[in-house]
Amino acid sequence: MVISKSLRALKRRDETVAVLLENKQDSSETLLFERGAITALTHAEKTNIYKDYKEPVDSFGCLGVLNVNTKDSTLSYLVLVTGCTSIGRIFEVELCRVTQVTLVSLVTSTIHQPEQVTDIVKLLSSGTFFFSFPSNSIKFQLSSSAQYCYVNDNASSRHFLWNRALMVPLQQYGINHDQWLLRLMCGSVEVKTLYCGRHQAKVCLVSRFGCERAGTRFSVRGIDDNGHVASFVETEQVIVLQDKLTSFVQVRGSVPVFWEQTGLPGVGNHRVQLTRGFEFGQPAFERHIKWLISNYGQVLLVNLLGNKEAELMLSDEYTEHLKHSMYHDDVTMVSFDYNSQCRGGDKTKLSTVLLPRTNDFLEPFSYFAVEGDHMIRKQVGTIRMNCMDCMDRSNVVQTFYGLMVLQKQLLDYDLGSSTSIVSQFQDAFQSMWSCNGNNISLLYTGSAALSKKDRLKDGALSIQRSIQSSFFDSSKQEAIELLLWGGVLGDSVGHATRALLSPSDVFLPRAYRQDLSRRYMEYSEHVPIRICVGTWNVNGGKYTQSIAYKNQSMGSWLLDTPLSGVPDLRDSPPHIYAVGFEELVDLNASNIVNTSSSNRKYWGKELQKILCEGPHQYHMLTSHQLVGLCLFLFVQPQLVPYVRDVSVSTVKTGMSGKAGNKGAVGIRLLLHSSSLCFVCAHFAAHQSHVSERNNDFTDIWNKMSFPNSITLPSHQYVFWSGDLNYRIDLPIDKVKEAIVSQNWSLLQNVDQLLKSKYSGKAFQGFVEGELNFAPTYKYDSFSDDYDTSEKGRIPAWTDRIMWWHRNSYRSSTSPLPSKHVTIEQGAHPTDVSIVKDHMISSCNESCDPYWNSGGRLMFYGRSELKTSDHRPVVAVIDINVIKVDSLQRQLVARDVTLLLGPPDCTVVISGNVEWEDIQSELLQCGDIIFVRLLEEQLLVTFKDSKSVLAAISLNGLEVNGYIMDVQFRTKWPPTDSIAVTDDVPLNNMVSSKLENDSPIRSQHSSPSNSNYLTPEVVKSPYQSPAGSPVHSTEPSPYSSPMASPKLKRKELTSPTMKEDQVIIDQPTVAMRSSSSTQDLISKAPVTHPSRSASATGIGQPYNVHHQAHGVEQDGKLIISKPIRPSPMKLQVKGSAEQKLPAPKRPPPPRQSVGNQGKPPRPPLPTKNE
């Protein structure tokens, strides 16, 4: 089969942009893209409007629709493959490399593309993406291994499907993506033809880059919370002879621990740092091993790291994780120091040292073989390889194992006895493995693989890699993330999705995710958490305990001092300690350029030792340093399973943002389903530099960012501590007098931070405790005397702790300077009660206990450690975090699905009615995209699915003496009859086969231990790409452990009725009530202001055709399948050749119609409408 440019896209430019996508080889169906909606047109419909479409773009195939979020709007593009080269053929499947893509805009007529879109075009046209044609071949395809394709009926593994996000828009509108879209794979493909006597054999080597944690060399390292690792590559060597195929799969991936490489990625400057405490990395490690076993069967881990400092640290961490793993008896690790054993390119020790230690595993692992439709043998295990970058060393050793298995593959063809044939196959695969290494290296680093033989050449390649990673990888990483995730994670809905919903929900429609997130209170509860925040400027960090004050330690600061305000602290200790230090190293030029981490490690060990001295234990979650700033997070062991999405960030504010002597360090995390961020900052010094300090705050608040476009305002809680350097605007004598008399209110009234806060210049919305302790700066070291030097610095509360709280996922209050708050020059609060009143109002317990309470300050004070010129400060704060009940979430998700309406957003209208008679009624339902006349029925497509539910309420409406029949175009609600009982274990409730993503599954693969009800129970139409279920069968790592695996439910309340409102934010529908499906829909506020339900009979004709939905029978909740009524055989007035009469009101936009005529498409409703 020769691939040709079979698809053609045509564009219409008038009041709106529309695109037709036609298959030149099959004209029976054409796709129309208009205003965000997608529909399939018949040949007759296309013919009627074809003349309006111009600017044809011919392509070899379509990858899908790319949505790009910008500051002003969302841009959508149809991604077409306009250039490709054939690299070979397996059976009748053409293997092609993508060389050029073209993006056709679906929303604008301008040619200009944003830079991020241009970067995606460069990425897709780089020659590292491939597809097979036809994409749905049952024998072979590039996006999944041969065994996976055979076992799973031609399904693509979502782990290697790089255009899965681009498929979502078509799936939402019920378009068969296999008919229209290619399946895109990223990696390397090599094909050769060999001759074995009279027969022709094809040999192929395919390396598939995983897309779960994809990225460039220094941007993405290690593992994530879901158990996915960076640099994961599945490599398959295939032999095809006549009708027989054999294949062998190996995998490679980054060391599955939390780590990164910091600093300038130059030659010899790869600073490796573990970013997560050991205990917090173990859950992710378990998920990774479980995923390997469930997908590949038995697993042999081959670790090629050496004995150098960085590699040894990673290797030891890897070994310890496996030692403490629940799978340590099932998985074996073999460590082989490749650089030491194979020095100078000598590979003999692969055979003499490595092979004897691993040979016992190769035989039982076997390989896959199929002849025709009959599977001869199955691969039941694989080798997982790793080195530092998973490139050069891993490729050499995988080549070695591949050639070993090759000999067994040839025996399956009775070719193993011929020396010349064996040599021919070995030479071919040796060449392909070498090209494979170069291709993977080019994709990952921008240069070819290192040879380990020519030092001069390897040095040049290393410099090339350094330049690539320093100047080009950041934009490439952004393009990869945009391609894989489509920008769905970078907005508030995406953040709520990650916090509240399942990890695989990110590809579901935005409206579904938004509505389910808004109703979080129906499936969550609050959990009290106690947090202790400490800050201390340690003046160079030379001493943790002085000889002069040997009885004082950091324990008196963090453990003893808060006891005076929190008597129950010993019995109810903090769950989290966030301890920040300033000037942990001297702020000299050498430390600013290259800061040593020795002080950070030393102080971290001392902190952990002190915190664990008592009966309560703490694990270090992570720490991060910016020159002298350092922040440590310690968490109690029982919270380890509920901590995820940990990331760090820094912002430099010294020397106009160029130096890190001033700035901030941030650590963020999700605890259960609440996002917490801890910031330790050091602001500009000197008495008069108030505006510089305010600017420092603004810069940090605006610039501090975390992965997935998460910023400080994205969090529910932000805890801010540090040496903020705000001073007291009084002469030193008066300040000291007030300190002696403890006249704190006098000092508070002239405190620069409070004045900046209440004048709207910084820290708006932040809550701070009352300053009823002496200023913490500046002391003579090892003394109780304030500064006695010639500078005579005025005592001040420079060291502060406060927190900010966002009320909900729906709103936030920015603490940035406000233009609406003005205070006259020199004015300031004259009564300390202003501060107190603000604190009380921010902590009002009568507010929503989930979000609005903001927390309760239990203690705020200073400690008397004297080893620095600052005194340390500590605060204890009680907050509530959200804990999701994943089972209850599924019940709410079922309700949200029903109330959203069908994803194709289309209704079918039958009856003897004229368009002008129903146009105004339909416009009140929502924004209409287009209207079509098909087989004497009107098909009306709305902009959103909720409008469809409003349109259904018109069913049974009498128009000019005729009854109008309005029905869903697709079956809705899409449920089968399923009984859900309180005594049925959750795993027994899944009624349909979930995606079997296990191409190489062993007999003893671990069963899934789902902690939540999958949407397959509800048969949700909102499916993730490639037909996979929207939730993985893997247990959610973010779900709270339930007391029982049995289903639980809470009673849900009915919605608040509001006229002319379709969006539902309130809790809806009691799931155990005996209401019908239409009752559920009719309870949505879809009433039209122009008539009452009683006058029009809303919902009545629809109800009689449906069985009860949600009926409780014999203690079981029955979800019934609706019985669809037969279409009403009523004629639309006018013959098929006539146009429908134009509306009397606004002029009609353009229509897409078949040969039945051209009914006008209604215009957009005005704001008044």
Side-chain angles (χ1 to χ4, degrees):
M1 179 180 294
V2 178
I3 185 171
S4 61
K5 289 189 174 182
S6 58
L7 292 186
R8 171 171 290 175
L10 300 103
K11 200 167 188 177
R12 187 197 72 210
R13 301 174 187 266
D14 49 17
E15 71 279 0
T16 59
V17 173
V19 174
L20 281 179
L21 183 65
E22 64 171 342
N23 189 332
K24 295 187 291 185
Q25 299 175 355
D26 181 7
S27 60
S28 61
E29 191 174 78
T30 301
L31 296 186
L32 172 62
F33 301 81
E34 185 172 359
R35 294 177 60 202
I38 309 172
T39 190
L41 305 178
T42 64
H43 178 70
E45 290 179 293
K46 181 195 75 171
T47 303
N48 220 337
I49 63 173
Y50 197 77
K51 63 179 182 298
D52 298 325
Y53 289 80
K54 302 176 182 179
E55 304 177 33
V57 177
D58 293 331
S59 64
F60 293 97
C62 179
L63 299 180
V65 176
L66 173 68
N67 293 318
V68 180
N69 295 325
T70 64
K71 292 182 179 180
D72 302 324
S73 61
T74 298
L75 303 178
S76 295
Y77 297 90
L78 189 64
V79 186
L80 302 175
V81 177
T82 52
C84 70
T85 57
S86 176
I87 54 178
R89 183 182 299 179
I90 301 294
F91 294 122
E92 296 302 319
V93 179
E94 200 78 26
L95 310 183
C96 301
R97 183 196 310 270
V98 178
T99 58
Q100 182 180 3
V101 296
T102 299
L103 270 57
V104 178
S105 176
L106 301 178
V107 296
T108 178
S109 58
T110 59
I111 302 177
H112 173 73
Q113 293 177 346
E115 184 178 355
Q116 52 189 337
V117 175
T118 304
D119 289 337
I120 286 186
V121 173
K122 292 179 181 178
L123 176 68
L124 291 174
S125 306
S126 62
T128 57
F129 288 89
F130 303 83
F131 65 90
S132 51
F133 185 85
S135 60
N136 56 352
S137 169
I138 61 174
K139 289 190 174 182
F140 189 80
Q141 59 173 278
L142 289 179
S143 57
S144 58
S145 66
Q147 180 167 319
Y148 185 97
C149 184
Y150 180 89
V151 172
N152 294 280
D153 299 326
N154 188 39
S156 288
S157 174
R158 63 186 178 87
H159 305 292
F160 307 105
L161 189 63
W162 277 65
N163 61 327
R164 60 185 185 181
L166 308 186
M167 294 179 173
V168 173
L170 275 75
Q171 289 179 320
Q172 178 180 347
Y173 286 91
I175 306 298
N176 183 1
H177 59 79
D178 274 339
Q179 179 182 349
W180 289 98
L181 302 183
L182 301 171
R183 300 179 184 180
L184 191 66
M185 185 273 290
C186 178
S188 172
V189 180
E190 298 290 333
V191 182
K192 290 182 180 291
T193 301
L194 303 178
Y195 293 91
C196 308
R198 295 180 295 108
H199 301 291
Q200 185 184 79
K202 290 292 182 70
V203 293
C204 179
L205 190 68
V206 182
S207 283
R208 305 176 181 91
F209 257 68
C211 55
E212 300 291 355
R213 185 167 167 77
T216 55
R217 185 185 184 191
F218 290 101
S219 301
V220 181
R221 292 292 208 186
I223 198 170
D224 65 13
D225 288 291
N226 295 322
H228 304 306
V229 295
S231 311
F232 189 83
V233 182
E234 178 187 270
T235 303
E236 179 182 23
Q237 65 177 30
V238 180
I239 302 176
V240 176
L241 182 57
Q242 295 180 316
D243 200 27
K244 189 173 185 179
L245 178 147
T246 63
S247 78
F248 177 67
V249 171
Q250 302 179 72
V251 297
R252 67 177 81 175
S254 184
V255 180
V257 301
F258 287 97
W259 64 283
E260 65 180 10
Q261 283 187 286
T262 59
L264 180 67
V267 179
N269 191 22
H270 308 307
R271 184 182 303 161
V272 175
Q273 178 181 338
L274 297 174
T275 59
R276 196 84 65 92
F278 177 84
E279 295 79 7
F280 294 91
Q282 192 66 34
F285 181 87
E286 301 286 4
R287 294 182 192 109
H288 179 66
I289 299 298
K290 181 178 181 179
W291 182 86
L292 288 174
I293 293 174
S294 64
N295 283 273
Y296 298 100
Q298 304 171 55
V299 179
L300 172 65
L301 307 177
V302 177
N303 176 23
L304 304 179
L305 293 175
N307 292 319
K308 293 182 179 180
E309 180 180 0
E311 294 194 4
L312 181 61
M313 177 178 62
L314 286 178
S315 185
D316 290 345
E317 191 82 357
Y318 191 6
T319 304
E320 283 299 306
H321 275 302
L322 182 61
K323 180 180 177 181
H324 290 83
S325 171
M326 66 176 70
Y327 301 104
H328 71 276
D329 292 331
D330 303 320
V331 177
T332 301
M333 177 188 288
V334 174
S335 295
F336 180 79
D337 185 351
Y338 180 90
N339 285 337
S340 176
Q341 298 284 352
C342 301
R343 193 182 303 274
D346 183 6
K347 303 173 186 175
T348 56
K349 290 191 177 180
L350 294 177
S351 301
T352 60
V353 178
L354 180 60
L355 183 60
R357 300 173 61 188
T358 59
N359 200 32
D360 292 341
F361 296 91
L362 290 179
E363 189 66 34
F365 284 178
S366 188
Y367 53 91
F368 174 67
V370 61
E371 188 168 5
D373 296 329
H374 175 63
M375 184 171 65
I376 301 173
R377 67 175 75 243
K378 186 177 181 180
Q379 184 174 345
V380 296
T382 193
I383 302 173
R384 186 203 188 276
M385 201 78 58
N386 77 272
C387 53
M388 195 71 169
D389 296 319
C390 301
M391 291 187 297
D392 310 328
R393 287 175 280 180
S394 294
N395 195 73
V396 171
V397 180
Q398 283 194 333
T399 303
F400 172 75
Y401 282 116
L403 296 178
M404 292 291 298
V405 177
L406 172 64
Q407 300 178 20
K408 299 177 182 179
Q409 288 180 271
L410 292 177
L411 292 175
D412 233 312
Y413 297 95
D414 297 326
L415 298 176
S417 58
S418 174
T419 305
S420 60
I421 291 179
V422 171
S423 177
Q424 184 183 7
F425 276 86
Q426 287 179 337
D427 291 343
F429 272 107
Q430 185 75 52
S431 173
M432 288 192 295
W433 274 105
S434 178
C435 293
N436 179 73
N438 286 329
N439 293 338
I440 292 177
S441 181
L442 280 169
L443 180 63
Y444 196 44
T445 68
S447 72
L450 304 182
S451 64
K452 302 294 183 180
K453 295 179 180 180
D454 189 335
R455 292 187 177 183
L456 185 60
K457 181 179 178 181
D458 287 352
L461 290 175
S462 296
I463 294 174
Q464 183 178 343
R465 290 180 178 182
S466 178
I467 295 173
Q468 173 73 27
S469 58
S470 299
F471 300 103
F472 304 107
D473 276 359
S474 59
S475 59
K476 185 177 180 180
Q477 181 66 34
E478 292 176 1
I480 290 174
E481 292 176 356
L482 184 58
L483 173 65
L484 291 176
W485 302 106
V488 298
L489 299 178
D491 58 8
S492 58
V493 177
H495 300 158
T497 299
R498 291 183 65 88
L500 296 168
L501 309 184
S502 176
S504 56
D505 283 347
V506 294
F507 289 119
L508 300 185
R510 178 186 174 88
Y512 173 88
R513 294 183 288 116
Q514 187 175 37
D515 280 14
L516 189 54
S517 298
R518 283 174 174 172
R519 293 175 58 176
Y520 63 88
M521 293 182 65
E522 298 178 47
Y523 53 82
S524 63
E525 59 183 354
H526 68 280
V527 177
I529 295 293
R530 176 164 288 177
I531 295 176
C532 180
V533 182
T535 179
W536 190 15
N537 185 318
V538 293
N539 195 22
K542 300 180 177 63
Y543 309 101
T544 58
Q545 181 176 323
S546 72
I547 299 176
Y549 298 91
K550 59 183 179 180
N551 294 326
Q552 296 181 5
S553 70
M554 288 189 291
S556 63
W557 162 36
L558 299 172
L559 302 177
D560 299 335
T561 299
L563 282 174
S564 60
V566 192
D568 67 337
L569 194 63
R570 294 193 188 276
D571 298 326
S572 302
H575 299 90
I576 298 175
Y577 272 96
V579 185
F581 294 101
E582 301 80 47
E583 298 188 31
L584 194 66
V585 298
D586 291 327
L587 302 183
N588 53 41
S590 62
N591 281 329
I592 291 175
V593 173
N594 187 17
T595 307
S596 171
S597 61
S598 57
N599 272 17
R600 176 180 59 84
K601 295 177 181 178
Y602 174 75
W603 281 71
K605 291 179 181 179
E606 289 297 316
L607 276 174
Q608 184 154 19
K609 183 192 302 182
I610 289 169
L611 294 178
C612 295
E613 284 179 351
H616 306 285
Q617 297 299 301
Y618 291 88
H619 299 316
M620 183 189 290
L621 173 59
T622 189
S623 64
H624 200 56
Q625 183 175 4
L626 172 66
V627 189
L629 275 169
C630 193
L631 181 59
F632 299 88
L633 248 61
F634 296 88
V635 180
Q636 286 188 350
Q638 65 266 28
L639 292 182
V640 168
Y642 311 113
V643 173
R644 55 188 169 105
D645 283 7
V646 180
S647 55
V648 299
S649 179
T650 59
V651 176
K652 299 176 181 179
T653 59
M655 297 177 63
S656 301
K658 296 180 177 61
N661 59 316
K662 295 293 188 291
V665 172
I667 300 177
R668 63 97 51 187
L669 67 141
L670 280 177
L671 178 58
H672 289 293
S673 291
S674 289
S675 54
L676 314 179
C677 185
F678 299 88
V679 178
C680 180
H682 196 183
F683 288 178
H686 303 298
Q687 181 81 23
S688 60
H689 289 183
V690 182
S691 60
E692 285 82 352
R693 289 188 274 276
N694 293 337
N695 291 336
D696 286 348
F697 167 78
T698 302
D699 288 343
I700 294 168
W701 184 263
N702 286 329
K703 294 180 180 179
M704 182 165 284
S705 61
F706 302 88
N708 300 315
S709 302
I710 295 175
T711 60
L712 289 180
S714 305
H715 297 84
Q716 275 82 62
Y717 291 95
V718 176
F719 299 89
W720 198 296
S721 64
D723 179 3
L724 307 184
N725 260 322
Y726 285 98
R727 309 302 172 90
I728 293 175
D729 289 331
L730 276 181
I732 187 172
D733 294 337
K734 291 187 178 181
V735 172
K736 290 185 176 181
E737 289 176 4
I739 293 173
V740 172
S741 62
Q742 297 188 1
N743 188 358
W744 310 130
S745 61
L746 172 64
L747 300 182
Q748 289 177 26
N749 289 336
V750 289
D751 176 73
Q752 292 177 352
L753 191 152
L754 292 178
K755 291 166 64 177
S756 295
K757 179 178 178 181
Y758 293 110
S759 63
K761 296 179 179 178
F763 290 104
Q764 280 189 285
F766 273 81
V767 180
E768 184 184 20
E770 186 175 350
L771 296 168
N772 56 5
F773 52 87
T776 57
Y777 171 87
K778 174 181 184 352
Y779 285 91
D780 293 336
S781 297
F782 305 104
S783 170
D784 289 323
D785 298 327
Y786 284 104
D787 187 16
T788 58
S789 67
E790 294 181 359
K791 294 183 179 180
R793 297 172 178 89
I794 300 173
W797 286 299
T798 58
D799 308 281
R800 311 290 276 267
I801 299 172
M802 61 194 79
W803 80 95
W804 174 85
H805 173 251
R806 190 181 64 180
N807 290 332
S808 70
Y809 281 107
R810 307 170 189 154
S811 62
S812 63
T813 302
S814 174
L816 293 178
S818 171
K819 297 180 181 179
H820 305 290
V821 180
T822 58
I823 291 184
E824 295 181 2
Q825 183 70 25
H828 55 267
T830 57
D831 192 344
V832 73
S833 63
I834 295 178
V835 184
K836 295 180 180 178
D837 291 342
H838 176 76
M839 290 164 45
I840 293 172
S841 65
S842 300
C843 305
N844 192 345
E845 294 182 15
S846 65
C847 298
D848 173 9
Y850 289 90
W851 299 112
N852 296 331
S853 65
R856 180 187 301 170
L857 181 67
M858 305 302 296
F859 178 83
Y860 187 35
R862 57 175 255 176
S863 179
E864 299 305 320
L865 298 184
K866 302 177 182 179
T867 57
S868 172
D869 56 353
H870 290 250
R871 293 291 188 262
V873 176
V874 63
V876 178
I877 306 162
D878 287 352
I879 64 170
N880 289 324
V881 300
I882 293 302
K883 179 181 179 181
V884 168
D885 182 337
S886 54
L887 298 182
Q888 184 67 25
R889 181 180 61 196
Q890 294 308 315
L891 297 179
V892 179
R894 174 186 303 164
D895 192 26
V896 169
T897 299
L898 293 175
L899 292 171
L900 271 178
D904 66 352
C905 307
T906 302
V907 295
V908 179
I909 303 176
S910 305
N912 253 349
V913 294
E914 299 218 15
W915 172 249
E916 64 178 358
D917 296 330
I918 63 174
Q919 175 182 347
S920 61
E921 302 291 345
L922 289 173
L923 282 174
Q924 293 182 61
C925 298
D927 189 8
I928 297 177
I929 302 297
F930 41 70
V931 180
R932 301 153 53 206
L933 184 61
L934 181 65
E935 296 179 357
E936 300 179 349
Q937 293 178 325
L938 281 176
L939 274 65
V940 182
T941 300
F942 291 88
K943 187 174 184 179
D944 61 82
S945 56
K946 288 182 179 179
S947 301
V948 177
L949 299 182
I952 287 295
S953 68
L954 299 175
N955 187 34
L957 177 66
E958 184 176 342
V959 179
N960 292 338
Y962 294 96
I963 302 298
M964 190 168 66
D965 179 34
V966 184
Q967 302 294 341
F968 296 115
R969 185 189 184 189
T970 56
K971 182 179 68 174
W972 193 261
T975 56
D976 293 325
S977 182
I978 299 168
V980 180
T981 66
D982 287 329
D983 56 353
V984 179
L986 179 63
N987 288 338
N988 296 336
M989 291 164 49
V990 180
S991 62
S992 59
K993 181 181 178 182
L994 299 177
E995 179 193 26
N996 181 7
D997 206 3
S998 310
I1000 307 176
R1001 185 180 298 278
S1002 66
Q1003 298 289 335
H1004 59 278
S1005 296
S1006 302
S1008 174
N1009 225 350
S1010 262
N1011 286 332
Y1012 55 85
L1013 184 65
T1014 72
E1016 286 286 24
V1017 175
V1018 201
K1019 295 283 188 180
S1020 172
Y1022 302 113
Q1023 296 287 319
S1024 56
S1028 60
V1030 293
H1031 292 275
S1032 170
T1033 57
E1034 286 285 322
S1036 171
Y1038 314 139
S1039 298
S1040 307
M1042 307 301 298
S1044 167
K1046 302 175 182 178
L1047 181 66
K1048 297 182 179 180
R1049 348 181 139 80
K1050 300 176 183 176
E1051 292 297 329
L1052 307 181
T1053 58
S1054 298
T1056 302
M1057 296 293 292
K1058 294 182 180 180
E1059 288 191 350
D1060 200 27
Q1061 178 182 348
V1062 176
I1063 298 177
I1064 299 174
D1065 289 339
Q1066 302 298 325
T1068 56
V1069 194
M1071 297 303 294
R1072 299 179 67 90
S1073 68
S1074 58
S1075 58
S1076 68
T1077 301
Q1078 181 57 22
D1079 291 334
L1080 298 180
I1081 297 174
S1082 63
K1083 286 182 180 181
V1086 294
T1087 304
H1088 299 274
S1090 60
R1091 64 190 189 283
S1092 65
S1094 59
T1096 59
I1098 294 177
Q1100 294 175 5
Y1102 186 81
N1103 278 341
V1104 297
H1105 298 292
H1106 287 76
Q1107 295 176 348
H1109 172 87
V1111 177
E1112 187 174 357
Q1113 299 176 1
D1114 300 327
K1116 298 182 178 181
L1117 178 66
I1118 304 298
I1119 305 169
S1120 301
K1121 182 177 181 179
I1123 302 175
R1124 302 300 305 157
S1126 301
M1128 298 178 65
K1129 299 184 181 297
L1130 300 178
Q1131 298 294 325
V1132 180
K1133 289 183 178 180
S1135 64
E1137 289 77 16
Q1138 293 176 334
K1139 296 182 180 180
L1140 292 181
K1144 298 177 181 179
R1145 282 188 292 221
R1150 186 179 301 274
Q1151 288 295 315
S1152 61
V1153 212
N1155 60 356
Q1156 311 295 334
K1158 290 188 176 182
R1161 186 182 62 202
L1164 290 173
T1166 64
K1167 292 183 179 179
N1168 293 332
E1169 290 176 315

